Amino acid sequence: MSVYVVGHKSPDTDSVTSAIAYAALQKEMGVDAVPAMQGELNPETEMVLNKFGFSAPEIMTDGAGKQLMLVDHSDLAQAPDNLGDAELLAIIDHHKVGDITTNNPIIFNAQPVGCTGTVLKQLYDINNVAIPANIAGIMLCAILSDTVMFKSPTCTEADKAACEDLAKIAGVDDMQALAMEMFKAKSAVDGVPAKDLVFRDYKDFDMNGKKIGIGQLELVDLSLVAGIRDDLYKACEEVKADGRHTVLLMLTDIMKEGTDLMVVSDDPSLIEKAFGGKLEGNTMWVDGMMSRKKQTVPNMQKACGC
Ligand code: MG
Ligand code: MG
Ligand code: MG
């Protein structure tokens, strides 16, 4: 029976490439491992796989009866369905420890670094397995994506060092150019329905009884969404109408390193308080805001009295 290696729901570049890279490492160690993902590729990941000659992993959303290795998450809500009926063999991650438990000992390697790709680079090295050039390429892309080319507050020295090594192996001379190519792909909004854009990278949170949804679009330039702001706002209103106290859409300018925060809320003053600014129309510029995990969520939790 094959072992499935799979990342989180709403797969991002790290989740998909880490499934491929860890499955390849497991294969080297004699395990019949197969990479999988829990949903369709986003435009950035599609570009990355094409560039380094990989086809999309198969889609797998139900763990029942399967042997699984999880990458880039350890939360039940982000894992395949019916995890309780699966046999979990490993978790490789870089987030806070989630709520998944097991009956048997497993491989568990989570580190406070910016990307699962960085943890995998170390695992290849520890096991003395040479990283093939095309796999080094996609691991490099994952780290550049998760750390927003080292600009995110989640980035560590280990991430930068891993990228230096991986770029050499992959034959990438210009990391910055590669990152820009990815960010342009990630910024693609033309012809995509506004609601799909709100949900492209979206998570719901319970903050002191308030249901708060936070989406993020990472853009190389805010002018890309200038013509669709009203549509995005309407889409946020629709999402909020579905029982939420607040919907925030982070329109993040990854070059200017800040976020124009679109706000639909029962209590807009709560958001002004959370980020120490004033709404102008529907949005508020928050300088330096790049990370939902490290910046938006903690400030909102504090404002909600969590
Ligand atoms: Mg991820
Ligand atoms: Mg990640
Ligand atoms: Mg991200």
Side-chain angles (χ1 to χ4, degrees), residues 8 12-15 72 94-95 146 203:
H8 55 73
D12 57 10
T13 296
D14 188 25
S15 263
D72 201 31
H94 70 116
H95 295 88
D146 264 13
K203 284 179 180 157

Side-chain angles (χ1 to χ4, degrees), residues 12-78:
D12 57 10
T13 296
D14 188 25
S15 263
V16 176
T17 61
S18 289
I20 294 171
Y22 194 49
L25 176 61
Q26 284 294 330
K27 265 203 144 125
E28 283 294 321
M29 301 194 301
V31 177
D32 177 21
V34 178
M37 57 185 185
Q38 293 195 65
E40 299 291 340
L41 294 174
N42 70 31
E44 179 192 77
T45 314
E46 195 171 355
M47 179 241 119
V48 166
L49 295 189
N50 281 339
K51 188 173 182 76
F52 291 96
F54 289 93
S55 50
E58 68 177 272
I59 293 183
M60 192 281 294
T61 58
D62 190 337
K66 298 189 176 82
Q67 290 188 313
L68 299 182
M69 297 181 171
L70 305 182
V71 291
D72 201 31
H73 70 292
S74 66
D75 266 318
L76 270 176
Q78 298 179 29

Side-chain angles (χ1 to χ4, degrees), residues 8 12 95 145-148 186 201 203 216 218 290 292:
H8 55 73
D12 57 10
H95 295 88
S145 174
D146 264 13
T147 66
V148 196
K186 196 204 291 266
D201 179 4
K203 284 179 180 157
Q216 182 174 28
E218 291 167 310
M290 305 279 284
R292 174 174 48 207

Side-chain angles (χ1 to χ4, degrees), residues 148-200:
V148 196
M149 207 172 73
F150 313 141
K151 290 179 188 176
S152 170
T154 59
C155 184
T156 67
E157 288 306 315
D159 298 301
K160 294 181 192 168
C163 281
E164 289 295 331
D165 288 352
L166 291 167
K168 273 187 208 126
I169 299 166
V172 171
D173 321 308
D174 192 344
M175 257 190 252
Q176 203 148 347
L178 175 62
M180 283 311 296
E181 198 181 338
M182 288 164 53
F183 297 156
K184 281 196 183 124
K186 196 204 291 266
S187 299
V189 296
D190 276 353
V192 183
K195 211 164 190 175
D196 292 358
L197 291 174
V198 173
F199 282 122
R200 184 180 274 175

